[in-house]
């Protein structure tokens, strides 16, 4: 089995990675600019814009940080046999109702090199899928942290809506990994039984 113990996240490899970084930097800059302007002018719309850009920056930077930290510890070597990663028949039926097969290929991938069957064994791809699932599950939980920002800023509804939208978006990636992985595991088992 091919194992590359020097695998690292390739932040420069995919367009999605570059896009997230660029939007993060722009969001942080615009948060600072609008927040500073609000401080000196007290114009309410500037605070609203600063909150929007600040929340956007949080969600993007949090995603980058979670992915980096989890990769630092797991390095895509996750035991896909663990109970947490088992997908039940009932769960697969739900994914069928959600029509995952139709929309999964339209979802962006942060770094597609982890799922390249020419560069990695199917076991490594299954491990990467488990790590991706963990990353998105942690992001779902952390998506609700900005709700606490309503205490100093108000606008509870805005923080709840953005947190819910963010969590739902990342749940799509969790679902996608859980939908795809059983087929990869079947392929792995078939290849093992053939040898």
């Amino acid at each position: 089995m091919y194992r590359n113990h020097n695998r690292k996240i390739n932040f420069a490899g995919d367009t999605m990675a570059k896009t997230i970084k660029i939007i993060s930097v722009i969001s942080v800059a615009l948060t600072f600019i609008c927040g500073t302007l609000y401080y000196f002018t007290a114009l309410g719309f500037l605070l609203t814009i600063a909150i929007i850009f600040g929340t956007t920056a949080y969600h993007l930077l949090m995603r980058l940080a979670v992915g980096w930290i989890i990769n630092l510890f797991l390095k895509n070597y996750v035991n896909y046999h663990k109970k947490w990663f088992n997908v039940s028949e009932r769960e697969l039926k739900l994914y069928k109702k959600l029509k995952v097969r139709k929309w999964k290929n339209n979802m962006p991938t942060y770094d597609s090199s982890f799922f390249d069957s020419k560069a990695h064994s199917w076991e490594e791809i299954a491990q990467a899928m488990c790590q991706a699932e963990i990353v998105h599950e942690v992001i779902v939980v952390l998506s609700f942290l900005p709700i606490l920002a309503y205490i100093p800023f108000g606008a509870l509804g805005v923080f709840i809506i953005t947190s819910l939208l963010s969590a739902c978006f990342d749940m799509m990636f969790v679902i996608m990994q859980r939908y795809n992985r059983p087929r990869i595991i079947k392929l792995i088992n078939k290849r093992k039984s053939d040898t």
Side-chain angles (χ1 to χ4, degrees), residues 135-164:
V135 167
H136 289 289
E137 288 165 345
V138 171
I139 290 170
V140 167
V141 173
L142 294 178
S143 291
F144 292 98
L145 201 56
I147 292 174
L148 297 175
Y150 94 91
I151 296 167
F153 297 112
L156 177 62
V158 172
F159 289 112
I160 290 174
I161 289 168
T162 55
S163 291
L164 279 171

PDB file of all heavy atoms in Angstrom, residues 135-164:
ATOM      1  N   VAL A 135     -13.208  17.725   9.843  1.00  0.00           N
ATOM      2  CA  VAL A 135     -13.005  19.168   9.674  1.00  0.00           C
ATOM      3  C   VAL A 135     -14.357  19.876   9.553  1.00  0.00           C
ATOM      4  O   VAL A 135     -14.625  20.855  10.263  1.00  0.00           O
ATOM      5  CB  VAL A 135     -12.126  19.465   8.433  1.00  0.00           C
ATOM      6  CG1 VAL A 135     -12.177  20.939   8.063  1.00  0.00           C
ATOM      7  CG2 VAL A 135     -10.689  19.029   8.680  1.00  0.00           C
ATOM      8  N   HIS A 136     -15.224  19.365   8.708  1.00  0.00           N
ATOM      9  CA  HIS A 136     -16.517  20.029   8.494  1.00  0.00           C
ATOM     10  C   HIS A 136     -17.441  19.891   9.705  1.00  0.00           C
ATOM     11  O   HIS A 136     -18.225  20.810   9.984  1.00  0.00           O
ATOM     12  CB  HIS A 136     -17.168  19.517   7.213  1.00  0.00           C
ATOM     13  CG  HIS A 136     -16.463  20.002   5.987  1.00  0.00           C
ATOM     14  ND1 HIS A 136     -16.512  21.317   5.565  1.00  0.00           N
ATOM     15  CD2 HIS A 136     -15.650  19.360   5.109  1.00  0.00           C
ATOM     16  CE1 HIS A 136     -15.772  21.452   4.478  1.00  0.00           C
ATOM     17  NE2 HIS A 136     -15.236  20.285   4.183  1.00  0.00           N
ATOM     18  N   GLU A 137     -17.338  18.807  10.443  1.00  0.00           N
ATOM     19  CA  GLU A 137     -18.143  18.671  11.661  1.00  0.00           C
ATOM     20  C   GLU A 137     -17.723  19.696  12.707  1.00  0.00           C
ATOM     21  O   GLU A 137     -18.576  20.306  13.371  1.00  0.00           O
ATOM     22  CB  GLU A 137     -18.033  17.242  12.208  1.00  0.00           C
ATOM     23  CG  GLU A 137     -18.774  16.227  11.370  1.00  0.00           C
ATOM     24  CD  GLU A 137     -18.413  14.788  11.663  1.00  0.00           C
ATOM     25  OE1 GLU A 137     -17.375  14.526  12.324  1.00  0.00           O
ATOM     26  OE2 GLU A 137     -19.166  13.905  11.219  1.00  0.00           O
ATOM     27  N   VAL A 138     -16.423  19.907  12.865  1.00  0.00           N
ATOM     28  CA  VAL A 138     -15.932  20.919  13.805  1.00  0.00           C
ATOM     29  C   VAL A 138     -16.372  22.314  13.342  1.00  0.00           C
ATOM     30  O   VAL A 138     -16.813  23.138  14.155  1.00  0.00           O
ATOM     31  CB  VAL A 138     -14.391  20.837  13.950  1.00  0.00           C
ATOM     32  CG1 VAL A 138     -13.848  22.019  14.749  1.00  0.00           C
ATOM     33  CG2 VAL A 138     -13.990  19.524  14.606  1.00  0.00           C
ATOM     34  N   ILE A 139     -16.295  22.559  12.043  1.00  0.00           N
ATOM     35  CA  ILE A 139     -16.715  23.858  11.504  1.00  0.00           C
ATOM     36  C   ILE A 139     -18.199  24.101  11.769  1.00  0.00           C
ATOM     37  O   ILE A 139     -18.597  25.222  12.109  1.00  0.00           O
ATOM     38  CB  ILE A 139     -16.393  23.954   9.998  1.00  0.00           C
ATOM     39  CG1 ILE A 139     -14.874  24.053   9.788  1.00  0.00           C
ATOM     40  CG2 ILE A 139     -17.099  25.144   9.354  1.00  0.00           C
ATOM     41  CD1 ILE A 139     -14.430  23.915   8.340  1.00  0.00           C
ATOM     42  N   VAL A 140     -19.018  23.055  11.629  1.00  0.00           N
ATOM     43  CA  VAL A 140     -20.461  23.204  11.909  1.00  0.00           C
ATOM     44  C   VAL A 140     -20.660  23.714  13.329  1.00  0.00           C
ATOM     45  O   VAL A 140     -21.416  24.661  13.565  1.00  0.00           O
ATOM     46  CB  VAL A 140     -21.207  21.863  11.689  1.00  0.00           C
ATOM     47  CG1 VAL A 140     -22.610  21.912  12.281  1.00  0.00           C
ATOM     48  CG2 VAL A 140     -21.283  21.527  10.202  1.00  0.00           C
ATOM     49  N   VAL A 141     -19.973  23.116  14.285  1.00  0.00           N
ATOM     50  CA  VAL A 141     -20.114  23.526  15.691  1.00  0.00           C
ATOM     51  C   VAL A 141     -19.625  24.964  15.881  1.00  0.00           C
ATOM     52  O   VAL A 141     -20.320  25.800  16.484  1.00  0.00           O
ATOM     53  CB  VAL A 141     -19.349  22.562  16.627  1.00  0.00           C
ATOM     54  CG1 VAL A 141     -19.346  23.072  18.058  1.00  0.00           C
ATOM     55  CG2 VAL A 141     -19.952  21.162  16.549  1.00  0.00           C
ATOM     56  N   LEU A 142     -18.446  25.272  15.332  1.00  0.00           N
ATOM     57  CA  LEU A 142     -17.868  26.613  15.511  1.00  0.00           C
ATOM     58  C   LEU A 142     -18.613  27.692  14.729  1.00  0.00           C
ATOM     59  O   LEU A 142     -18.433  28.883  14.994  1.00  0.00           O
ATOM     60  CB  LEU A 142     -16.391  26.603  15.114  1.00  0.00           C
ATOM     61  CG  LEU A 142     -15.478  25.761  16.003  1.00  0.00           C
ATOM     62  CD1 LEU A 142     -14.040  25.797  15.489  1.00  0.00           C
ATOM     63  CD2 LEU A 142     -15.545  26.223  17.455  1.00  0.00           C
ATOM     64  N   SER A 143     -19.466  27.292  13.801  1.00  0.00           N
ATOM     65  CA  SER A 143     -20.262  28.265  13.042  1.00  0.00           C
ATOM     66  C   SER A 143     -21.223  29.030  13.936  1.00  0.00           C
ATOM     67  O   SER A 143     -21.670  30.124  13.585  1.00  0.00           O
ATOM     68  CB  SER A 143     -21.050  27.557  11.933  1.00  0.00           C
ATOM     69  OG  SER A 143     -20.188  27.082  10.936  1.00  0.00           O
ATOM     70  N   PHE A 144     -21.565  28.459  15.082  1.00  0.00           N
ATOM     71  CA  PHE A 144     -22.527  29.108  15.977  1.00  0.00           C
ATOM     72  C   PHE A 144     -21.867  30.046  16.986  1.00  0.00           C
ATOM     73  O   PHE A 144     -22.548  30.777  17.692  1.00  0.00           O
ATOM     74  CB  PHE A 144     -23.371  28.040  16.688  1.00  0.00           C
ATOM     75  CG  PHE A 144     -24.272  27.310  15.744  1.00  0.00           C
ATOM     76  CD1 PHE A 144     -23.911  26.078  15.232  1.00  0.00           C
ATOM     77  CD2 PHE A 144     -25.473  27.879  15.329  1.00  0.00           C
ATOM     78  CE1 PHE A 144     -24.728  25.408  14.334  1.00  0.00           C
ATOM     79  CE2 PHE A 144     -26.300  27.227  14.427  1.00  0.00           C
ATOM     80  CZ  PHE A 144     -25.930  25.985  13.926  1.00  0.00           C
ATOM     81  N   LEU A 145     -20.559  30.065  17.043  1.00  0.00           N
ATOM     82  CA  LEU A 145     -19.841  30.937  17.978  1.00  0.00           C
ATOM     83  C   LEU A 145     -20.130  32.427  17.747  1.00  0.00           C
ATOM     84  O   LEU A 145     -20.279  33.174  18.721  1.00  0.00           O
ATOM     85  CB  LEU A 145     -18.342  30.653  17.887  1.00  0.00           C
ATOM     86  CG  LEU A 145     -17.481  31.068  19.068  1.00  0.00           C
ATOM     87  CD1 LEU A 145     -17.970  30.454  20.370  1.00  0.00           C
ATOM     88  CD2 LEU A 145     -16.034  30.661  18.814  1.00  0.00           C
ATOM     89  N   PRO A 146     -20.251  32.904  16.497  1.00  0.00           N
ATOM     90  CA  PRO A 146     -20.527  34.331  16.293  1.00  0.00           C
ATOM     91  C   PRO A 146     -21.836  34.813  16.904  1.00  0.00           C
ATOM     92  O   PRO A 146     -22.017  36.018  17.092  1.00  0.00           O
ATOM     93  CB  PRO A 146     -20.565  34.472  14.766  1.00  0.00           C
ATOM     94  CG  PRO A 146     -19.734  33.367  14.256  1.00  0.00           C
ATOM     95  CD  PRO A 146     -19.962  32.232  15.217  1.00  0.00           C
ATOM     96  N   ILE A 147     -22.741  33.908  17.243  1.00  0.00           N
ATOM     97  CA  ILE A 147     -24.004  34.337  17.868  1.00  0.00           C
ATOM     98  C   ILE A 147     -23.724  35.114  19.153  1.00  0.00           C
ATOM     99  O   ILE A 147     -24.458  36.039  19.506  1.00  0.00           O
ATOM    100  CB  ILE A 147     -24.925  33.120  18.122  1.00  0.00           C
ATOM    101  CG1 ILE A 147     -25.402  32.549  16.778  1.00  0.00           C
ATOM    102  CG2 ILE A 147     -26.122  33.500  18.986  1.00  0.00           C
ATOM    103  CD1 ILE A 147     -26.201  31.271  16.873  1.00  0.00           C
ATOM    104  N   LEU A 148     -22.616  34.776  19.829  1.00  0.00           N
ATOM    105  CA  LEU A 148     -22.258  35.503  21.055  1.00  0.00           C
ATOM    106  C   LEU A 148     -21.939  36.971  20.789  1.00  0.00           C
ATOM    107  O   LEU A 148     -21.984  37.793  21.699  1.00  0.00           O
ATOM    108  CB  LEU A 148     -21.064  34.819  21.733  1.00  0.00           C
ATOM    109  CG  LEU A 148     -21.294  33.394  22.221  1.00  0.00           C
ATOM    110  CD1 LEU A 148     -20.001  32.802  22.756  1.00  0.00           C
ATOM    111  CD2 LEU A 148     -22.390  33.358  23.278  1.00  0.00           C
ATOM    112  N   ALA A 149     -21.627  37.308  19.543  1.00  0.00           N
ATOM    113  CA  ALA A 149     -21.290  38.691  19.208  1.00  0.00           C
ATOM    114  C   ALA A 149     -22.508  39.618  19.286  1.00  0.00           C
ATOM    115  O   ALA A 149     -22.356  40.839  19.290  1.00  0.00           O
ATOM    116  CB  ALA A 149     -20.673  38.770  17.811  1.00  0.00           C
ATOM    117  N   TYR A 150     -23.706  39.026  19.386  1.00  0.00           N
ATOM    118  CA  TYR A 150     -24.885  39.891  19.518  1.00  0.00           C
ATOM    119  C   TYR A 150     -24.861  40.645  20.849  1.00  0.00           C
ATOM    120  O   TYR A 150     -25.462  41.716  20.977  1.00  0.00           O
ATOM    121  CB  TYR A 150     -26.181  39.083  19.376  1.00  0.00           C
ATOM    122  CG  TYR A 150     -26.764  38.616  20.685  1.00  0.00           C
ATOM    123  CD1 TYR A 150     -27.705  39.397  21.366  1.00  0.00           C
ATOM    124  CD2 TYR A 150     -26.360  37.412  21.260  1.00  0.00           C
ATOM    125  CE1 TYR A 150     -28.220  38.974  22.578  1.00  0.00           C
ATOM    126  CE2 TYR A 150     -26.875  36.991  22.470  1.00  0.00           C
ATOM    127  CZ  TYR A 150     -27.808  37.769  23.120  1.00  0.00           C
ATOM    128  OH  TYR A 150     -28.316  37.352  24.322  1.00  0.00           O
ATOM    129  N   ILE A 151     -24.133  40.126  21.841  1.00  0.00           N
ATOM    130  CA  ILE A 151     -24.087  40.779  23.158  1.00  0.00           C
ATOM    131  C   ILE A 151     -23.537  42.202  23.034  1.00  0.00           C
ATOM    132  O   ILE A 151     -24.186  43.149  23.475  1.00  0.00           O
ATOM    133  CB  ILE A 151     -23.300  39.922  24.182  1.00  0.00           C
ATOM    134  CG1 ILE A 151     -24.031  38.592  24.407  1.00  0.00           C
ATOM    135  CG2 ILE A 151     -23.105  40.670  25.495  1.00  0.00           C
ATOM    136  CD1 ILE A 151     -23.233  37.536  25.142  1.00  0.00           C
ATOM    137  N   PRO A 152     -22.360  42.401  22.397  1.00  0.00           N
ATOM    138  CA  PRO A 152     -21.900  43.789  22.263  1.00  0.00           C
ATOM    139  C   PRO A 152     -22.513  44.543  21.082  1.00  0.00           C
ATOM    140  O   PRO A 152     -22.610  45.763  21.113  1.00  0.00           O
ATOM    141  CB  PRO A 152     -20.384  43.642  22.057  1.00  0.00           C
ATOM    142  CG  PRO A 152     -20.189  42.295  21.468  1.00  0.00           C
ATOM    143  CD  PRO A 152     -21.297  41.451  22.029  1.00  0.00           C
ATOM    144  N   PHE A 153     -22.949  43.826  20.030  1.00  0.00           N
ATOM    145  CA  PHE A 153     -23.368  44.510  18.803  1.00  0.00           C
ATOM    146  C   PHE A 153     -24.867  44.496  18.545  1.00  0.00           C
ATOM    147  O   PHE A 153     -25.354  45.241  17.704  1.00  0.00           O
ATOM    148  CB  PHE A 153     -22.677  43.883  17.578  1.00  0.00           C
ATOM    149  CG  PHE A 153     -21.190  44.023  17.598  1.00  0.00           C
ATOM    150  CD1 PHE A 153     -20.386  42.904  17.754  1.00  0.00           C
ATOM    151  CD2 PHE A 153     -20.584  45.271  17.465  1.00  0.00           C
ATOM    152  CE1 PHE A 153     -19.005  43.016  17.775  1.00  0.00           C
ATOM    153  CE2 PHE A 153     -19.207  45.388  17.484  1.00  0.00           C
ATOM    154  CZ  PHE A 153     -18.419  44.265  17.643  1.00  0.00           C
ATOM    155  N   GLY A 154     -25.611  43.629  19.221  1.00  0.00           N
ATOM    156  CA  GLY A 154     -27.027  43.482  18.905  1.00  0.00           C
ATOM    157  C   GLY A 154     -27.176  42.652  17.635  1.00  0.00           C
ATOM    158  O   GLY A 154     -26.317  41.861  17.295  1.00  0.00           O
ATOM    159  N   ALA A 155     -28.267  42.850  16.923  1.00  0.00           N
ATOM    160  CA  ALA A 155     -28.536  42.174  15.647  1.00  0.00           C
ATOM    161  C   ALA A 155     -28.478  40.654  15.791  1.00  0.00           C
ATOM    162  O   ALA A 155     -27.856  39.961  14.988  1.00  0.00           O
ATOM    163  CB  ALA A 155     -27.574  42.653  14.573  1.00  0.00           C
ATOM    164  N   LEU A 156     -29.165  40.129  16.807  1.00  0.00           N
ATOM    165  CA  LEU A 156     -29.172  38.694  17.068  1.00  0.00           C
ATOM    166  C   LEU A 156     -29.615  37.905  15.844  1.00  0.00           C
ATOM    167  O   LEU A 156     -29.016  36.893  15.499  1.00  0.00           O
ATOM    168  CB  LEU A 156     -30.084  38.370  18.262  1.00  0.00           C
ATOM    169  CG  LEU A 156     -30.243  36.890  18.622  1.00  0.00           C
ATOM    170  CD1 LEU A 156     -28.901  36.280  19.013  1.00  0.00           C
ATOM    171  CD2 LEU A 156     -31.259  36.729  19.751  1.00  0.00           C
ATOM    172  N   GLY A 157     -30.648  38.381  15.169  1.00  0.00           N
ATOM    173  CA  GLY A 157     -31.170  37.684  13.994  1.00  0.00           C
ATOM    174  C   GLY A 157     -30.127  37.488  12.910  1.00  0.00           C
ATOM    175  O   GLY A 157     -30.034  36.419  12.302  1.00  0.00           O
ATOM    176  N   VAL A 158     -29.316  38.521  12.671  1.00  0.00           N
ATOM    177  CA  VAL A 158     -28.284  38.448  11.639  1.00  0.00           C
ATOM    178  C   VAL A 158     -27.272  37.363  11.992  1.00  0.00           C
ATOM    179  O   VAL A 158     -26.891  36.547  11.139  1.00  0.00           O
ATOM    180  CB  VAL A 158     -27.573  39.812  11.470  1.00  0.00           C
ATOM    181  CG1 VAL A 158     -26.379  39.704  10.545  1.00  0.00           C
ATOM    182  CG2 VAL A 158     -28.545  40.852  10.954  1.00  0.00           C
ATOM    183  N   PHE A 159     -26.849  37.327  13.247  1.00  0.00           N
ATOM    184  CA  PHE A 159     -25.853  36.341  13.670  1.00  0.00           C
ATOM    185  C   PHE A 159     -26.421  34.917  13.629  1.00  0.00           C
ATOM    186  O   PHE A 159     -25.723  33.977  13.244  1.00  0.00           O
ATOM    187  CB  PHE A 159     -25.310  36.667  15.059  1.00  0.00           C
ATOM    188  CG  PHE A 159     -24.419  37.875  15.075  1.00  0.00           C
ATOM    189  CD1 PHE A 159     -24.804  39.035  15.717  1.00  0.00           C
ATOM    190  CD2 PHE A 159     -23.197  37.848  14.432  1.00  0.00           C
ATOM    191  CE1 PHE A 159     -23.976  40.151  15.732  1.00  0.00           C
ATOM    192  CE2 PHE A 159     -22.350  38.955  14.443  1.00  0.00           C
ATOM    193  CZ  PHE A 159     -22.751  40.115  15.083  1.00  0.00           C
ATOM    194  N   ILE A 160     -27.687  34.758  13.996  1.00  0.00           N
ATOM    195  CA  ILE A 160     -28.314  33.431  13.946  1.00  0.00           C
ATOM    196  C   ILE A 160     -28.433  32.957  12.500  1.00  0.00           C
ATOM    197  O   ILE A 160     -28.080  31.813  12.182  1.00  0.00           O
ATOM    198  CB  ILE A 160     -29.692  33.435  14.643  1.00  0.00           C
ATOM    199  CG1 ILE A 160     -29.516  33.581  16.162  1.00  0.00           C
ATOM    200  CG2 ILE A 160     -30.476  32.164  14.312  1.00  0.00           C
ATOM    201  CD1 ILE A 160     -30.803  33.738  16.940  1.00  0.00           C
ATOM    202  N   ILE A 161     -28.893  33.835  11.613  1.00  0.00           N
ATOM    203  CA  ILE A 161     -29.072  33.456  10.202  1.00  0.00           C
ATOM    204  C   ILE A 161     -27.739  33.093   9.559  1.00  0.00           C
ATOM    205  O   ILE A 161     -27.625  32.057   8.895  1.00  0.00           O
ATOM    206  CB  ILE A 161     -29.782  34.581   9.423  1.00  0.00           C
ATOM    207  CG1 ILE A 161     -31.244  34.670   9.860  1.00  0.00           C
ATOM    208  CG2 ILE A 161     -29.694  34.346   7.909  1.00  0.00           C
ATOM    209  CD1 ILE A 161     -31.975  35.912   9.381  1.00  0.00           C
ATOM    210  N   THR A 162     -26.709  33.925   9.760  1.00  0.00           N
ATOM    211  CA  THR A 162     -25.417  33.625   9.140  1.00  0.00           C
ATOM    212  C   THR A 162     -24.813  32.341   9.709  1.00  0.00           C
ATOM    213  O   THR A 162     -24.206  31.558   8.981  1.00  0.00           O
ATOM    214  CB  THR A 162     -24.418  34.795   9.298  1.00  0.00           C
ATOM    215  OG1 THR A 162     -24.285  35.124  10.685  1.00  0.00           O
ATOM    216  CG2 THR A 162     -24.867  36.018   8.519  1.00  0.00           C
ATOM    217  N   SER A 163     -25.003  32.117  11.002  1.00  0.00           N
ATOM    218  CA  SER A 163     -24.483  30.890  11.616  1.00  0.00           C
ATOM    219  C   SER A 163     -25.207  29.660  11.082  1.00  0.00           C
ATOM    220  O   SER A 163     -24.579  28.639  10.782  1.00  0.00           O
ATOM    221  CB  SER A 163     -24.608  30.955  13.136  1.00  0.00           C
ATOM    222  OG  SER A 163     -23.720  31.931  13.652  1.00  0.00           O
ATOM    223  N   LEU A 164     -26.524  29.745  10.962  1.00  0.00           N
ATOM    224  CA  LEU A 164     -27.300  28.620  10.425  1.00  0.00           C
ATOM    225  C   LEU A 164     -26.926  28.323   8.980  1.00  0.00           C
ATOM    226  O   LEU A 164     -26.752  27.158   8.605  1.00  0.00           O
ATOM    227  CB  LEU A 164     -28.800  28.904  10.530  1.00  0.00           C
ATOM    228  CG  LEU A 164     -29.439  28.656  11.882  1.00  0.00           C
ATOM    229  CD1 LEU A 164     -30.870  29.178  11.911  1.00  0.00           C
ATOM    230  CD2 LEU A 164     -29.416  27.175  12.234  1.00  0.00           C
TER     231      LEU A 164
END
